[in-house]
Amino acid sequence: MAQPATDTILPIPQVDQPTGHPREHKPKLYILDYGAGNVRSLANSIKKLGYEFEWIEDDSDFDKAEKLIFPGVGAFSQAMESLRSSGRFDSLLEYIKSGKPYFGICIGMQVLFESSEETLPEPIKGLGVINHPIRKFSSRDDSLLKGKKTVPHMGWNNTWKAWSTTSSESDETPKVMLDGEDYYFVHSYAALIDPSTSISDSNSPIKDFAYTLSRYGSEIYVSSVKKDNVFATQFHPEKSGPAGLDLLRRWLEASPQSLSAPSSTSASTSSPKTWQPTNPNPSTQRKGGNGLTKRIVACLDVRSNDQGDLVVTKGDQYDVREKSSEDGDNKVRNLGKPVELSQRYYLEGADEIAFLNITSFRSSALLDQPMLDVVRNAAETVFVPLTIGGGIKDTVDPDGTPRSALEVAGAYFRSGADKVSIGSEAVIAVEQLLQRERDGVEPVLSGKTGIETISRGYGNQAVVVSIDPKRVYVDTINPNWKEDFPKHHLDSLIVGDEATSRTASEERGKAWWYQCTISGGRDVRDIDVVQLAKGVERLGAGEILLNSVDRDGSGKGFDLDLVNLVKNAVSIPVVSSSGAGSPDDFIEVFQKTETEAALAAGIFHRKEVGIDQVKERLEKEGLPVRRCGLNTI
Ligand code: 1PR
């Protein structure tokens, strides 16, 4: 059985709470934190909604709690192990059985189930409130192009009610979820149901609990459960923008009595209900795709400028200095303040925001308090996923204190990051992996790299690898170039005559491969983008952020050949980055590749195109996007 990484248990984050809301008017709300991942965002969203809460610190708090939220983040095994080792397993179960309102989020929903196959061959037991297993999504799916499905299921998906009622839906009190909204999911395991069989079995326990369902490819899973006092979502409301905040607000506003009343939505009640294993609502059905929207990511490259202020900068092929200035002083481009810009992008409808600390290799990340502050401050008002990159690696502080990559990542998660992005260190890790393989060293996976330790502790969905490849042109004048081409890089070779990019006409007669770089494109390594992508997937990365040094800041569109190479090499989601110059570029990358997300920086920073405009264009082309009703909260 995989051992949970107990060294990831971190202290409860300090979150200032709102004043002016006397507790006696509101039920006592507690949050159960088991020390992993980003619970700060939930705390921030509760604070934003004007509610106070306390952390469960000892067992007597379960008695004091009138409402309880369990925001599980990371791995099921770690959550269960932590509940058992802290003695909270029984107290939590008792709380749930007492009939007081419980709200589980993600792992906080999964732990309600009988078991999870996360630790196969030996499944790990959950609380057993719902007698149904948590199983892994299949990465094979014949309903999708090439029969391949990316796992984890990461992004924005919609939900529909598991049961239709004959009476008006508004009879449901309290109504905690609105119909037709997209919510942010990130998980590899789910309460999968077989639409044809399991639910028609009258003994199927899941049907009493299934509140909403969602589709990922051809697989249907329970996206929220609700029965009596128990409500739980597989998605993260605290990361689901206004729709998620609205849901949280509804649950927080509802009285404990109304939340604990016998459920009117489950199969067990007397009013006639019909099971709806497929989405009955044509306006929210996403035919043809896997169910997820295409994500638009805004990226902020952050560094200190020459005056020492932390600014968002933007490179042109990674060169972030102005080309010329009258005084001959090539200043670092300053496009704004990181937190303010992230707030703007959130309001414009960004599905995710990435902060990359681009000079991180110069200092110790844990001592880089300004960067931790950026995350902390952004997480107070930005309720979509935040990725932080730069310097996520084993380091040594100037005073000689060693810091593991896991510790560095933990500090960012506790500050409000949902994912960390690893760049240079991932290249070194895959080089070592390939070397171990060549040398016949067993086990090939050392288990010690940052990617492995962080994904083990926080789940692979929390680990992004940022790749900075450069095109290397081959001398095609040489008639023997194909024979001379290094065999180990053949998988990343593109012959210009077959290129798919819009610029392909300029590439006739040429050929190139994609070489990986480290330290922000400064050093090239003898490893290509396909080797790297496959290697990081083996190590446990959950997503790839695919930059292009050549396209960065060029406005020439995404490098489709590069995206297709990487997409075909891995089963994890790929965020295409670099080169966006107009909304058409987003349409092109989503229509001509299978990429899950597209990232841009320059055009957003310079306000040439708004994120809302990009989404509007994508929608017109029939591409699924999340449109958020920002007036809600
Ligand atoms: O190596 O783990 O410390 O991480 C450093 C991180 O910083 C890496 O993710 C690396 O990509 C990034 N980085 C380092 N130097 C630069 C630089 O620009 N000088 N930025 C840099 C990478 C690329 C994207 C950019 C897209 C889209 N920048 O961040 O946002 O290219 O831009 P566009 O839409 O304007 O074309 P480690």
Side-chain angles (χ1 to χ4, degrees):
M1 186 190 300
Q3 287 305 309
T6 45
D7 49 349
T8 59
I9 308 274
L10 294 157
I12 284 166
Q14 294 303 312
V15 175
D16 295 336
Q17 300 207 29
T19 51
H21 295 276
R23 178 161 307 135
E24 49 277 20
H25 297 144
K26 292 184 177 169
K28 258 191 164 180
L29 171 68
Y30 276 80
I31 301 182
L32 174 58
D33 169 35
Y34 63 94
N38 173 16
V39 290
R40 180 179 288 272
S41 292
L42 175 70
N44 284 338
S45 52
I46 291 171
K47 173 183 155 190
K48 159 106 181 153
L49 294 166
Y51 286 80
E52 291 184 334
F53 65 88
E54 309 229 356
W55 301 102
I56 292 270
E57 300 211 45
D58 62 59
D59 275 358
S60 66
D61 291 335
F62 284 99
D63 298 331
K64 292 183 216 147
E66 292 169 286
K67 285 184 172 184
L68 176 69
I69 305 184
F70 185 16
V73 189
F76 183 99
S77 52
Q78 192 193 349
M80 288 316 301
E81 186 57 37
S82 161
L83 286 176
R84 286 208 173 83
S85 61
S86 62
R88 300 265 155 83
F89 182 98
D90 291 334
S91 315
L92 177 60
L93 201 53
E94 234 170 76
Y95 175 91
I96 293 169
K97 287 186 176 161
S98 75
K100 291 193 278 184
Y102 171 87
F103 187 169
I105 296 175
C106 192
I107 295 291
M109 168 171 143
Q110 294 191 0
V111 295
L112 294 169
F113 286 71
E114 188 56 33
S115 61
S116 168
E117 62 174 39
E118 189 188 276
T119 52
L120 281 181
E122 206 184 314
I124 188 157
K125 285 213 167 310
L127 292 169
V129 175
I130 307 171
N131 189 11
H132 189 88
I134 297 291
R135 288 181 290 139
K136 191 166 187 180
F137 282 117
S138 171
S139 54
R140 304 290 322 154
D141 195 325
D142 292 336
S143 73
L144 300 174
L145 208 67
K146 298 183 188 152
K148 209 170 118 177
K149 186 162 75 188
T150 42
V151 178
H153 169 242
M154 187 188 286
W156 299 78
N157 205 333
N158 60 24
T159 65
W160 68 88
K161 290 274 161 62
W163 298 93
S164 76
T165 49
T166 46
S167 59
S168 155
E169 288 283 310
S170 60
D171 291 350
E172 185 194 323
T173 32
K175 189 176 173 76
V176 283
M177 269 175 77
L178 297 181
D179 296 329
E181 297 289 347
D182 286 307
Y183 298 101
Y184 184 75
F185 291 82
V186 52
H187 56 128
S188 301
Y189 298 81
L192 299 174
I193 55 159
D194 178 341
S196 58
T197 56
S198 64
I199 214 79
S200 58
D201 171 1
S202 58
N203 294 322
S204 171
I206 186 72
K207 72 179 187 177
D208 275 350
F209 280 89
Y211 179 54
T212 62
L213 302 178
S214 296
R215 175 179 74 84
Y216 188 35
S218 61
E219 289 179 294
I220 305 292
Y221 64 95
V222 178
S223 46
S224 69
V225 295
K226 187 163 176 273
K227 183 169 189 282
D228 307 338
N229 60 318
V230 172
F231 175 57
T233 60
Q234 178 59 70
F235 55 86
H236 287 269
E238 77 283 16
K239 286 285 152 192
S240 297
L245 290 184
D246 179 68
L247 181 155
L248 271 171
R249 180 176 55 72
R250 286 162 182 274
W251 189 85
L252 291 167
E253 263 174 11
S255 69
Q257 293 72 18
S258 65
L259 289 171
S260 301
S263 207
S264 64
T265 52
S266 70
S268 56
T269 54
S270 52
S271 59
K273 311 242 183 270
T274 313
W275 175 245
Q276 306 190 111
T278 52
N279 187 348
N281 183 353
S283 69
T284 57
Q285 265 175 23
R286 296 206 171 112
K287 290 184 188 144
N290 60 14
L292 292 169
T293 66
K294 296 294 184 185
R295 282 179 278 151
I296 304 297
V297 184
C299 183
L300 292 85
D301 288 354
V302 180
R303 62 161 287 168
S304 294
N305 66 7
D306 302 310
Q307 288 71 46
D309 301 323
L310 210 58
V311 297
V312 173
T313 188
K314 184 65 214 66
D316 187 2
Q317 297 192 317
Y318 285 36
D319 181 359
V320 298
R321 290 190 177 269
E322 306 279 5
K323 286 276 175 284
S324 61
S325 62
E326 280 171 13
D327 53 7
D329 176 18
N330 295 3
K331 295 192 182 74
V332 170
R333 282 191 199 101
N334 179 352
L335 292 159
K337 294 185 177 166
V339 177
E340 280 172 19
L341 268 188
S342 68
Q343 285 163 346
R344 186 182 115 206
Y345 295 144
Y346 170 65
L347 293 174
E348 279 185 15
D351 297 314
E352 279 186 47
I353 290 167
F355 294 98
L356 299 178
N357 178 1
I358 66 168
T359 49
S360 59
F361 55 91
R362 295 187 186 148
S363 60
S364 163
L366 270 190
L367 296 182
D368 205 348
Q369 284 304 326
M371 204 57 200
L372 287 165
D373 285 344
V374 164
V375 184
R376 220 172 275 130
N377 294 335
E380 283 192 7
T381 49
V382 174
F383 298 102
V384 291
L386 299 177
T387 299
I388 312 301
I392 313 292
K393 59 180 180 184
D394 295 342
T395 49
V396 179
D397 285 349
D399 68 358
T401 314
R403 304 283 190 183
S404 69
L406 187 65
E407 253 182 286
V408 178
Y412 279 114
F413 291 137
R414 297 308 261 184
S415 299
D418 301 282
K419 311 184 216 179
V420 290
S421 161
I422 304 180
S424 310
E425 214 42 33
V427 178
I428 310 293
V430 174
E431 283 176 350
Q432 287 168 353
L433 168 74
L434 298 179
Q435 189 60 48
R436 285 165 79 88
E437 210 156 44
R438 281 193 292 271
D439 295 346
V441 177
E442 289 289 346
V444 174
L445 300 180
S446 72
K448 293 183 181 148
T449 63
I451 301 176
E452 290 165 283
T453 54
I454 302 168
S455 62
R456 206 161 50 236
Y458 295 97
N460 65 354
Q461 80 291 335
V463 184
V464 181
V465 167
S466 164
I467 309 185
D468 300 315
K470 254 183 190 165
R471 283 185 179 199
V472 180
Y473 284 90
V474 181
D475 175 15
T476 49
I477 307 290
N478 168 6
N480 298 326
W481 75 266
K482 280 190 181 153
E483 291 77 48
D484 294 348
F485 186 80
K487 299 281 168 292
H488 59 296
H489 295 314
L490 266 176
D491 285 346
S492 88
L493 177 69
I494 299 285
V495 177
D497 294 356
E498 295 157 15
T500 49
S501 284
R502 208 173 52 215
T503 48
S505 57
E506 299 164 23
E507 314 285 9
R508 297 231 169 85
K510 298 179 188 168
W512 64 92
W513 62 287
Y514 293 95
Q515 182 168 28
C516 292
T517 66
I518 58 171
S519 305
R522 285 166 191 80
D523 302 326
V524 293
R525 310 290 294 198
D526 185 27
I527 181 167
D528 65 63
V529 74
V530 173
Q531 288 174 308
L532 185 67
K534 286 185 168 171
V536 299
E537 184 175 29
R538 285 171 71 189
L539 289 167
E543 186 171 61
I544 287 174
L545 164 48
L546 182 58
N547 301 299
S548 153
V549 176
D550 310 274
R551 292 292 168 105
D552 177 50
S554 70
K556 285 185 178 173
F558 298 94
D559 187 338
L560 305 186
D561 297 299
L562 172 63
V563 176
N564 279 324
L565 269 184
V566 173
K567 228 3 244 175
N568 290 336
V570 295
S571 304
I572 52 178
V574 173
V575 180
S576 302
S577 161
S578 306
S582 74
D584 287 344
D585 295 327
F586 291 86
I587 295 171
E588 185 181 53
V589 77
F590 287 129
Q591 285 182 338
K592 296 195 176 161
T593 78
E594 289 294 300
T595 194
E596 281 77 9
L599 173 151
I603 52 167
F604 296 151
H605 300 338
R606 295 187 298 268
K607 294 193 176 167
E608 288 163 13
V609 177
I611 293 171
D612 36 3
Q613 277 171 284
V614 170
K615 288 192 163 183
E616 211 174 291
R617 286 292 313 279
L618 291 175
E619 211 170 25
K620 279 199 184 130
E621 293 296 317
L623 290 156
V625 290
R626 172 184 72 109
R627 299 307 298 266
C628 46
L630 289 163
N631 299 332
T632 352
I633 304 285

